[in-house]
Amino acid sequence: MSTPVKKVPIHLQSAQNRLMIKNGRVVNDDSIVDGDVYIEDGLIKQLGRNLIIPGGTRIIDARGKLVIPGGIDPHTHLSFEFMGAKSPDDFYQGTKAALAGGTTMLIDFALPKKGESLIEAYEHWRQLADDRVCCDYGLHVGVTWWSEKVKEEMAVLCKEHGINSFKMFMAYKDVFMVNDTELYQIFDRCKEIGAIAQVHAENGSVIAENAKKLLASGVKGPEGHERSRPEDVEAEAVNRACVIANQVNCPLYVVRVMSKSSGDAINQKRNEGVVVFGEALASSIGTDGTHQWNTCWQHAAAHVTSPPLRPDPTTPEHLMNLLSSDGLQVTGSDNATFSSKDKLLGKDDFTKIPNGVNGVEDRMSVVWEKGVHSGKMDPTRFVAVTSANAAKIFNIYPRKGCIAVGSDADIVIWDPNQTRTISAKTHHQGNDFNIFEGMVCHGVPEYVIVNGRVCVDEGALKAVQGYGRFIPTPPFSPYVFEQVKSREEDKKDQEKAIADGAAAAAVAAAEIVKKVEQNGNVETRSIPAAETPVTAVETEPSLSCPSSKGQRNLQDSTFSISTELDDSARKSCIRVKNPPGGQSSGGFW
């Protein structure tokens, strides 16, 4: 099947759109400078002051505002069919909502069913998206089963279709889940072809058993969802994934980190040198899991997602602290929305509630509110966790994720002083519930520019269906694989040091043996007159290890420590005058 080609209206292909953003503060992940930005042909052409530009250029005054790279949401599920339901956010509705919130690119997931071709799944998602997206997008591809065919298709997707990341599920038993042996082999393949391995980290086998017990005990409501997938079940899987990936030195990206212990596990592994990246969500830093115990069933069910939102109310702040300090690196939305009617599929069984919450529209504002407005991070770190880091990890930087000459003109003019109140009544998404309902956010996108076109103009949304493009993500991301290379070199240095140490020890031991042989004599240990040896040693002693033949097997059940200790005084032994390590003082060596 050939890759679908989208058709963009002629007037939107025009290269005549010219923009100048004046008097703003340009923020990248490593700098804040006062300057102007000139845009032409969908690209950033000039940066600085006193720029010379053509006549007829539209001028946007950004005085008092921040000029930041457009947001990149690395985790969405648009047009998603799951657990008997279909998301109301298709690629038009979802990308339109993304633009309204300041996100100018997203990366969705093509998820094949078990036994389905990965390439066919990729082509299906391209058909769903290409003619409908309002902003640029990329794709990850799921590996939900394993075979030689899958192994071959992964390489084809990397080389020919612009895919550099594959997602594996450690949960959703019998649906998406792969086992540890398969995980090892998939990680090994990812490393070989220059791809990033992503994992949904939960212990699926434990979850399945927990769910059975809870249902049998009469727990059927939404609170059973979190109880069946407690925090340590997530943290265990995170640690296990890191351990397995480290065996083959495969770069790992842990999606949707939802708990303190999981975030801490990633931070610890990074400190140990493991090449792993952690993704927090707008939901995990913007709200908590106590809502799953709400007396209103629909309110509780609307918060069901996996791994679950945690009932510990300190979790959002803890995860934000990790984001601020680089313990976690990226924020996504994992936008997978379902209507209240769809959630009712699990009215009598929490395992049948379609998993997923909103976030693609509100992600940028929630991160700003909980991060920058709270004083936990500065604007440069905000750019890093909402845009630049994702662009670097998935190898589209500096085309995306920064404001630089030659970069795509995906830009947000951000008003840090303006506020908005999040509500399902006013959001642009297709679902009828918003988990951030009533949250007041400081920080609003006043203008959103995609490939040089103004799509949010003084707060007014002007999205155009089909304007976005598919953006390939090339393999062997330098940002990622330079860390992999450094890790490999460190391991080689450690192995060499161990080998050199062993060789030096062997030489030293040989020298000692040589000196012993040169000095020659051995003597029998003197025994006090009060002691009479049971058996005298008459054979010539040897420096070689004695054969075990004929000796007692100390693993036999008849062995007695007390008997051996009682008999030790009656047993004779020998010693060499100058044993390894120096002359004996008369004890055993």
Side-chain angles (χ1 to χ4, degrees):
M1 180 183 288
S2 61
T3 299
V5 178
K6 69 179 178 58
K7 296 180 180 180
V8 178
I10 294 293
H11 71 285
L12 294 179
Q13 299 178 21
S14 171
Q16 301 307 310
N17 292 326
R18 299 185 178 94
L19 291 172
M20 168 75 98
I21 303 170
K22 289 183 65 69
N23 304 319
R25 303 202 74 194
V26 179
V27 183
N28 280 308
D29 68 331
D30 59 355
S31 65
I32 302 178
V33 296
D34 294 329
D36 302 337
V37 182
Y38 174 66
I39 298 165
E40 186 177 340
D41 296 344
L43 301 175
I44 298 172
K45 295 291 190 177
Q46 297 183 60
L47 291 171
R49 289 292 196 188
N50 303 315
L51 303 180
I52 299 174
I53 61 173
T57 298
R58 179 182 174 182
I59 307 293
I60 297 176
D61 189 353
R63 193 180 308 273
K65 314 290 194 313
L66 302 178
V67 181
I68 64 175
I72 299 173
D73 187 341
H75 192 155
T76 63
H77 294 282
L78 305 181
S79 297
F80 189 39
E81 296 184 33
F82 186 51
M83 299 179 71
K86 184 174 181 179
S87 172
D89 285 331
D90 63 7
F91 277 94
Y92 169 64
Q93 196 78 35
T95 54
K96 182 175 73 170
L99 287 175
T103 290
T104 58
M105 180 179 173
L106 51 82
I107 311 180
D108 206 82
F109 288 86
L111 298 178
K113 298 178 176 66
K114 282 191 180 292
E116 183 183 357
S117 162
L118 272 62
I119 293 174
E120 288 180 4
Y122 159 83
E123 291 174 338
H124 175 63
W125 253 261
R126 289 291 305 270
Q127 288 177 335
L128 290 173
D130 279 1
D131 292 332
R132 300 186 65 76
V133 288
C134 303
C135 66
D136 290 350
Y137 81 105
L139 286 173
H140 315 288
V141 174
V143 178
T144 57
W145 63 294
W146 187 236
S147 70
E148 282 299 314
K149 178 185 178 183
V150 172
K151 184 177 181 180
E152 293 170 5
E153 288 191 333
M154 288 173 69
V156 173
L157 286 167
C158 274
K159 292 177 182 177
E160 301 177 15
H161 297 287
I163 301 297
N164 75 358
S165 50
F166 296 91
K167 180 181 180 181
M168 283 63 70
F169 290 84
M170 301 171 76
Y172 296 117
K173 191 174 181 180
D174 301 324
V175 180
F176 293 139
M177 179 175 156
V178 294
N179 63 40
D180 286 358
T181 300
E182 293 168 331
L183 209 56
Y184 183 103
Q185 294 171 357
I186 297 167
F187 286 172
D188 202 27
R189 183 58 164 167
C190 285
K191 163 73 181 317
E192 182 181 4
I193 61 178
I196 299 145
Q198 298 181 299
V199 289
H200 172 120
E202 292 182 285
N203 190 316
S205 297
V206 171
I207 291 167
E209 295 305 309
N210 283 347
K212 289 178 187 176
K213 282 189 175 182
L214 286 164
L215 288 170
S217 68
V219 177
K220 298 181 179 180
E223 72 280 2
H225 179 75
E226 201 282 335
R227 290 178 61 186
S228 70
R229 323 168 88 98
E231 181 167 331
D232 55 352
V233 169
E234 178 189 355
E236 180 276 331
V238 168
N239 184 72
R240 179 157 41 100
C242 290
V243 169
I244 296 172
N246 192 47
Q247 304 312 298
V248 294
N249 205 23
C250 172
L252 182 67
Y253 181 107
V254 182
V255 304
R256 49 173 309 127
V257 177
M258 302 298 286
S259 64
K260 294 192 295 186
S261 52
S262 294
D264 290 342
I266 292 169
N267 190 33
Q268 178 181 337
K269 290 298 181 183
R270 285 175 60 83
N271 290 336
E272 293 172 2
V274 177
V275 183
V276 57
F277 307 97
E279 172 195 274
L281 298 185
S283 58
S284 67
I285 63 173
T287 187
D288 63 54
T290 56
H291 295 276
Q292 292 161 106
W293 278 260
N294 194 285
T295 55
C296 172
W297 189 94
Q298 286 195 320
H299 179 97
H303 289 80
V304 167
T305 184
S306 295
L309 292 161
R310 300 301 174 189
D312 180 350
T314 65
T315 299
E317 184 176 9
H318 188 87
L319 294 178
M320 179 53 73
N321 288 339
L322 287 172
L323 268 176
S324 302
S325 61
D326 203 39
L328 298 173
Q329 291 68 50
V330 180
T331 51
S333 68
D334 192 10
N335 191 91
T337 56
F338 298 101
S339 68
S340 297
K341 181 180 179 181
D342 286 336
K343 293 279 187 175
L344 284 170
L345 291 170
K347 185 70 171 67
D348 300 314
D349 181 349
F350 65 83
T351 66
K352 296 179 180 178
I353 300 173
N355 291 188
V357 296
N358 62 284
V360 71
E361 180 172 352
D362 301 317
R363 180 183 68 105
M364 299 280 281
S365 288
V366 169
V367 176
W368 182 274
E369 179 68 21
K370 301 296 183 179
V372 183
H373 186 71
S374 71
K376 293 183 180 296
M377 64 172 61
D378 65 13
T380 61
R381 183 63 187 169
F382 173 77
V383 167
V385 301
T386 59
S387 180
N389 285 351
K392 292 174 183 178
I393 291 169
F394 297 110
N395 204 12
I396 50 177
Y397 185 93
R399 178 180 181 180
K400 305 285 187 181
C402 75
I403 296 178
V405 173
S407 297
D408 286 355
D410 293 349
I411 295 174
V412 175
I413 300 176
W414 190 264
D415 187 343
N417 299 313
Q418 190 177 342
T419 63
R420 73 182 183 96
T421 301
I422 298 175
S423 175
K425 294 178 180 179
T426 55
H427 71 200
H428 297 84
Q429 298 192 235
N431 60 314
D432 53 6
F433 189 92
N434 194 306
I435 61 169
F436 309 113
E437 187 72 34
M439 181 186 295
V440 177
C441 290
H442 300 77
V444 174
E446 186 173 346
Y447 295 87
V448 178
I449 300 164
V450 179
N451 295 318
R453 184 179 189 277
V454 179
C455 293
V456 174
D457 197 339
E458 294 184 352
L461 182 60
K462 299 179 178 180
V464 176
Q465 179 173 313
Y467 181 65
R469 306 165 297 177
F470 175 75
I471 304 297
T473 53
F476 292 103
S477 164
Y479 178 75
V480 173
F481 278 85
E482 284 174 7
Q483 295 182 46
V484 172
K485 182 180 178 182
S486 177
R487 177 69 167 166
E488 288 178 334
E489 291 172 350
D490 288 345
K491 285 184 176 180
K492 287 179 181 177
D493 290 343
Q494 291 171 5
E495 291 170 357
K496 185 176 185 300
I498 292 170
D500 290 347
V507 171
E511 288 295 322
I512 292 171
V513 171
K514 183 178 179 181
K515 288 180 181 179
V516 169
E517 290 174 342
Q518 289 173 347
N519 293 337
N521 298 330
V522 297
E523 64 180 17
T524 303
R525 179 171 67 86
S526 59
I527 301 173
E531 299 182 19
T532 303
V534 176
T535 305
V537 178
E538 297 178 355
T539 57
E540 183 70 17
S542 171
L543 290 174
S544 63
C545 294
S547 169
S548 61
K549 185 177 181 180
Q551 293 184 351
R552 175 180 295 172
N553 182 355
L554 298 185
Q555 302 303 319
D556 290 346
S557 61
T558 56
F559 174 70
S560 168
I561 292 178
S562 60
T563 301
E564 292 296 315
L565 290 174
D566 291 342
D567 290 347
S568 63
R570 301 196 305 273
K571 294 182 179 179
S572 63
C573 68
I574 61 172
R575 68 182 173 89
V576 179
K577 284 185 177 179
N578 293 302
Q583 186 170 351
S584 171
S585 60
F588 294 104
W589 64 273

